[in-house]
Amino acid sequence: MYESYYHLRDKPFQLNPDPRFFFASRGHKRAFAYLEYGLSLGEGFIVITGDVGAGKTTLAKSLLKKLEHGSYLIAQLVSTQLDAEDALRSIAAAFGLQAEGTTKSAVLKSLEDYLRMAVRQGQRPLLIVDEAQNLNHRAVEELRMLSNFHEGDKPLLQSFLLGQPEFRDTLQSPEMLQLRQRVIASYHLGPLDLAETTQYIMHRLKTAGWQGSPSFSGDAFDIIFQFSGGVPRRINTLCDRILLFGYLEERPHLDADAVQEVISDLEQEVHHQRPQAREPAAAAAISTAPPAAVSPFTDSVLAEDLDARLEAIERSVNRLIPLVRKVLYAVTPDKETE
């Protein structure tokens, strides 16, 4: 939509992890170095944690891009709430093995035979588990048991575990002692700082073919950083909306006021989507009170909320009108649209 207006080849702030847009911040460089270090050893576990949207999946995809022409046999598992046997079957399925309708022992035997054959053929089996915080203790223990498989002195499987911060709590539990002893390296991805946030935004714009438009004022970057907290996914969400705003308003330059207006819209949307929770006692009081007992203050609050909603709708409609005009003009360029 806004790509043609700003002469971009791609959407620079798409949420789908794309290794082309990988930004090597200090933290991401270090995490990537740990992954490469683990690969050089060829055994054990590498653990990478980070908050939601910190860039763990993009990091993994960047590593896979680098390994795609090598001798690695890679399986990826995005875990949900899996118990031990479901996790084992999911791992087998990730390697392309039939696992449904068979016993646990049969799945283990099939997986071990498959990995052993791969190693004998010179391949390096690698399992990447994303969202590892969803695995329960027994499922994580199954991963440890798989690390016991060897062909001679070579382990049959190495695992990279990517998860949110709570996965660190799982690893620190007493029953995870044996797995902790097999963790080669562990790193926690933190947010970007202000300078890195600015560099991140410009990196993604340039990767998408940016030629100078739109331009950003310095204080615009400051506000983007404050709102996003330096978390890449939040930066992407905000910047995508900023570029849409710039397109609808036909602005080649985006300043702090433009960014703040977009933030206000986002906050209004979140406010209106959030359910209006009431305390049980308060809800009961409202349901039993006669109409005359309702406070005038409540009416004024409701009126203010309604005004805010109407104002947000009006802003949205006003921004859609130029877009509709452009679409209509593109379809019938020989006619002037009203």
Side-chain angles (χ1 to χ4, degrees):
M1 185 177 290
Y2 56 70
E3 297 96 299
S4 59
Y5 178 72
Y6 288 122
H7 307 291
L8 301 171
R9 292 190 303 269
D10 300 293
K11 287 191 70 172
F13 301 105
Q14 59 183 332
L15 295 182
N16 183 46
D18 187 335
R20 293 179 305 149
F21 290 93
F22 176 69
F23 173 70
S25 70
R26 287 190 299 273
H28 288 80
K29 281 181 182 177
R30 198 164 190 175
F32 201 90
Y34 279 143
L35 294 177
E36 291 186 311
Y37 172 68
L39 286 175
S40 70
L41 296 179
E43 61 180 348
F45 296 86
I46 302 293
V47 177
I48 303 293
T49 57
D51 289 322
V52 175
K56 302 180 296 295
T57 304
T58 303
L59 180 75
K61 285 183 177 293
S62 299
L63 178 70
L64 294 179
K65 183 71 175 175
K66 185 174 181 178
L67 301 179
E68 64 182 1
H69 300 301
S71 59
Y72 291 90
L73 179 65
I74 300 172
Q76 299 179 71
L77 174 64
V78 179
S79 72
T80 54
Q81 299 292 337
L82 298 175
D83 61 23
E85 291 196 19
D86 285 339
L88 188 61
R89 287 188 170 87
S90 296
I91 292 168
F95 278 109
L97 302 177
Q98 176 60 40
E100 292 300 322
T102 57
T103 64
K104 176 182 176 181
S105 60
V107 175
L108 276 171
K109 181 66 167 60
S110 176
L111 186 56
E112 182 179 6
D113 290 345
Y114 176 77
L115 296 176
R116 195 175 301 281
M117 182 62 67
V119 170
R120 288 174 180 174
Q121 293 175 350
Q123 293 181 298
R124 286 269 307 275
L126 174 64
L127 174 65
I128 299 178
V129 180
D130 206 350
E131 304 296 345
Q133 76 280 351
N134 290 327
L135 298 173
N136 62 29
H137 288 187
R138 290 184 61 242
V140 176
E141 178 63 12
E142 288 293 341
L143 288 175
R144 185 192 69 80
M145 295 298 292
L146 291 178
S147 70
N148 288 333
F149 293 158
H150 281 72
E151 173 67 17
D153 61 347
K154 293 182 179 179
L156 297 185
L157 182 66
Q158 184 176 28
S159 300
F160 290 170
L161 308 179
L162 315 177
Q164 294 175 25
E166 51 265 37
F167 184 58
R168 299 171 73 90
D169 298 332
T170 299
L171 292 179
Q172 292 304 316
S173 61
E175 54 265 47
M176 292 291 105
L177 175 61
Q178 292 188 68
L179 186 136
R180 287 201 303 275
Q181 292 173 344
R182 301 189 185 191
V183 172
I184 303 299
S186 175
Y187 187 75
H188 182 74
L189 268 177
L192 309 179
D193 61 24
L194 173 58
E196 288 176 329
T197 297
T198 302
Q199 294 163 9
Y200 173 84
I201 293 169
M202 297 311 300
H203 166 75
R204 293 190 74 101
L205 284 168
K206 290 175 182 177
T207 303
W210 181 75
Q211 300 174 19
S213 180
S215 58
F216 288 81
S217 64
D219 52 4
F221 290 119
D222 294 340
I223 297 178
I224 292 171
F225 171 70
Q226 292 167 13
F227 179 79
S228 67
V231 177
R233 188 180 299 168
R234 294 180 194 167
I235 297 171
N236 289 352
T237 300
L238 176 57
C239 286
D240 185 66
R241 288 290 293 268
I242 291 171
L243 293 190
L244 178 61
F245 169 86
Y247 163 65
L248 295 176
E249 298 288 330
E250 298 185 345
R251 296 193 187 187
H253 180 73
L254 297 165
D255 56 16
D257 290 339
V259 175
Q260 192 58 61
E261 190 166 348
V262 173
I263 290 174
S264 297
D265 285 348
L266 288 171
E267 289 175 337
Q268 283 289 340
E269 290 170 11
V270 171
H271 172 72
H272 294 152
Q273 290 170 8
R274 186 181 297 121
Q276 298 298 315
R278 290 193 182 107
E279 294 294 331
I286 291 174
S287 64
T288 58
V294 177
S295 168
F297 175 74
T298 304
D299 290 337
S300 66
V301 171
L302 291 174
E304 290 177 4
D305 184 62
L306 180 59
D307 287 342
R309 293 189 184 203
L310 290 174
E311 183 181 346
I313 292 172
E314 184 178 359
R315 283 202 303 269
S316 298
V317 170
N318 288 337
R319 286 178 187 159
L320 284 174
I321 289 174
L323 175 60
V324 173
R325 286 177 174 168
K326 290 178 181 180
V327 171
L328 290 174
Y329 183 77
V331 175
T332 57
D334 55 327
K335 296 180 181 180
E336 182 178 351
T337 58
E338 295 296 325

